[in-house]
Each structure stands twice: as C-alpha cells, then as structure tokens.
Amino acid sequence: MIATSAILDEIGQLSMAELDALPLAELDHLIRQVSEVRDTARHYEAALHSTLNNRFAQQAQQLRQEAGKSTGTVRFEVDGYLVVADLPKRPEYNQVKLKEAVEALRKWGEDPENYVGIEIKVAESKYTAWPPGIRDLFEPARTLKTGKPSYKLEQIKTGEIPDAANDSHFGGGV
C-alpha cells in the first residue's frame, strides 16, 4: 500500500480537469485508497482520544465533582499543556411522556410552544403508503429536497452485466 501522505499528495497534485479525465478504473483505485486512508485515520484518531480519556478521565471527573457538576468542561494543566476536558450533556426525552406534558400544559391554559419546540415529522415510507386523500391533505406542507449525490463504482466481471434498477434496457434486458 502506498504511504498515506503519498496518496493524498498524488490526488492533491491533480487539477479538477485532470481528475475528470481519469479512466473509471483509476478513479475507482483512488477512491478505494482514500477510503482506506479515511478508515485508518478514524481508527488512529479513536485510539488517540481513548488514550487521552484513559489518562485524564479520573482527574477531569474529580474536578467536575469539586465544582458540583457531573458534566461540562473543566481545565487543568499537565506537563505544560492546558487540558480541556469536556463531557457534554446528551439529554434524551421519552416521546410519550413529552406528549403527555404538552397536553398538560394545554389543559393548564399555557401555550406549549412557549416551553418546547414542537416538530412533527413524517417518515417518507409512511407518506408513500398513505391513501391518496390523506396524502393530499399533507401535500401543501411537504417540500421535497434532495441530498448530496453519491456514486459507487463496482467493477463488472467479464461476462456479467447487472440489471440497472432504473432502466430495464440497461445490460441487455428487455
């Protein structure tokens, strides 16, 4: 395998026009190499963060306890470095109990939107399964946006031509 920096340097030296002109086999090769580099970098980054956690978690937790908190940011010095240790809050709410609380607010005469953000979500799989009348009711509230396009290259083995999901004429099909 080519060294990580060499792969990135190789790609970085190419202009967009040069990248556009590369044969698919070469693009596929570069994409696979970059994916390997990304996966390796994620693995190394996780190992390094784990090392920092192993080294400083106890001291950070002690400082949080002394400050009377179980989460948040604490700072301390070690070997000439300022260590900033953050343990963020990740609250989760039971949706059924939240609905009950919102209904209780309404019964008290309060406007729940003064206290909570209310967002109604519709799963696309449910929307497409609804009867036409229900879909028509929700259609004015629906805006269809697209995500970021993605592409994947899969080398076709000699003699094998897969059917394309979007075109029955692709690959010799009828």
Side-chain angles (χ1 to χ4, degrees):
M1 184 169 116
I2 299 173
T4 302
S5 61
I7 294 167
L8 300 178
D9 287 345
E10 178 183 348
I11 296 168
Q13 298 299 318
L14 298 173
S15 69
M16 285 304 295
E18 291 170 319
L19 285 170
D20 286 345
L22 289 176
L24 281 181
E26 183 63 20
L27 278 175
D28 182 39
H29 176 72
L30 291 174
I31 289 168
R32 289 175 192 273
Q33 287 183 316
V34 168
S35 292
E36 286 180 26
V37 168
R38 182 192 61 232
D39 294 345
T40 301
R42 284 183 182 158
H43 174 75
Y44 290 165
E45 183 179 34
L48 294 170
H49 283 283
S50 179
T51 297
L52 291 174
N53 188 56
N54 290 339
R55 240 183 237 189
F56 302 124
Q58 188 174 1
Q59 187 174 358
Q61 187 58 31
Q62 181 181 345
L63 290 171
R64 283 188 202 95
Q65 285 176 342
E66 289 171 6
K69 57 186 185 175
S70 59
T71 60
T73 303
V74 292
R75 293 170 173 78
F76 50 95
E77 187 181 330
V78 176
D79 298 333
Y81 285 88
L82 177 65
V83 177
V84 180
D86 185 33
L87 183 60
K89 290 180 184 177
R90 296 236 191 268
E92 292 183 7
Y93 292 91
N94 178 298
Q95 294 299 303
V96 172
K97 290 181 181 182
L98 276 178
K99 286 179 185 177
E100 292 169 0
V102 166
E103 287 307 311
L105 284 173
R106 285 193 177 109
K107 288 178 183 174
W108 296 350
E110 294 283 345
D111 181 358
E113 291 189 24
N114 290 333
Y115 302 96
V116 296
I118 298 177
E119 179 180 1
I120 301 170
K121 294 183 180 184
V122 177
E124 187 65 9
S125 59
K126 288 185 178 183
Y127 175 83
T128 57
W130 289 346
I134 302 293
R135 267 190 300 209
D136 291 345
L137 179 65
F138 283 84
E139 187 68 30
R142 182 175 187 258
T143 301
L144 185 62
K145 296 181 179 181
T146 60
K148 181 180 176 184
S150 67
Y151 301 90
K152 183 173 143 183
L153 296 174
E154 294 180 5
Q155 189 172 19
I156 299 173
K157 295 180 178 123
T158 306
E160 291 182 23
I161 301 177
D163 290 331
N166 63 336
D167 185 354
S168 62
H169 299 287
F170 178 81
V174 178

